[in-house]
Amino acid sequence: MKLFALATAAMVALATPVAAQETFTATLTNDHEIAQNWNSILDAQGEVLIIVDGDNVEIVIEVDGITAADLATEMPGPFHIHNFPQGGENFIVQGFDWNITDTDTGILVTAQGPAPDALTGQDFDFVVEEMRNGNAYFAVHTVGEDCTDVTGETTWCAAPMTALAGTLE
């Protein structure tokens, strides 16, 4: 994940002013509780970096083990910030305008600019507050991945599923 480290350093160096910024990170895996709710067995992992500077946001996501073709294309798209409990009251679906590039080992995804309100109606201040409180996670949605059922048998998942997730800290 060399690109992630370089992108992280570049974004932190270019961002302004440091005192107003907040940084959130997550490791994306299939063994996160939300991905396990979908019984994901996707053999991929990644990292996400979110820098919030007032109303502006910069995000870098690097995932090894998938390509852009694996990502959900249905609205509202493949990448979101969500909060706990999944599907609960005030559940967030926070999307952005993503730039997705295939790499030698997976994908590199970026977004930057003013943060839109969540697709579920919450303003971005609420989303940031949920991240500050450790009550938010980042999800990667894919299409048609295999999952395991309660007996451990491999089965096809409905699309889009949450294949990878990580709690934002």
Side-chain angles (χ1 to χ4, degrees):
M1 303 218 174
K2 293 181 259 180
L3 288 175
F4 185 79
L6 292 173
T8 300
M11 287 175 64
V12 170
L14 295 174
T16 61
V18 174
Q21 294 178 353
E22 293 182 82
T23 302
F24 303 93
T25 61
T27 299
L28 304 170
T29 66
N30 68 358
D31 62 0
H32 184 271
E33 69 179 276
I34 299 300
Q36 283 302 294
N37 287 347
W38 289 89
N39 299 313
S40 174
I41 58 172
L42 182 67
D43 187 21
Q45 62 183 8
E47 297 179 50
V48 60
L49 168 71
I50 301 172
I51 299 173
V52 178
D53 188 0
D55 291 332
N56 289 304
V57 180
E58 296 181 59
I59 302 173
V60 175
I61 309 158
E62 187 175 3
V63 181
D64 290 336
I66 62 174
T67 67
D70 298 320
L71 300 172
T73 56
E74 296 86 358
M75 283 303 290
F79 306 102
H80 303 100
I81 298 170
H82 295 297
N83 60 342
F84 297 101
Q86 184 179 26
E89 187 176 343
N90 292 317
F91 184 62
I92 298 169
V93 179
Q94 176 69 58
F96 294 89
D97 188 14
W98 303 107
N99 298 303
I100 304 167
T101 305
D102 282 319
T103 67
D104 289 342
T105 60
I107 57 172
L108 177 65
V109 183
T110 59
Q112 67 180 50
D117 287 344
L119 298 170
T120 45
Q122 299 89 344
D123 66 23
F124 192 65
D125 290 340
F126 178 77
V127 176
V128 172
E129 191 63 29
E130 290 289 85
M131 291 190 294
R132 279 186 198 126
N133 293 334
N135 196 45
Y137 63 94
F138 197 88
V140 178
H141 299 272
T142 59
V143 293
E145 295 296 331
D146 286 337
C147 297
T148 57
D149 65 19
V150 294
T151 67
E153 293 296 312
T154 299
T155 184
W156 188 82
C157 294
M161 64 171 285
T162 302
L164 301 173
T167 300
L168 289 160
E169 301 175 341

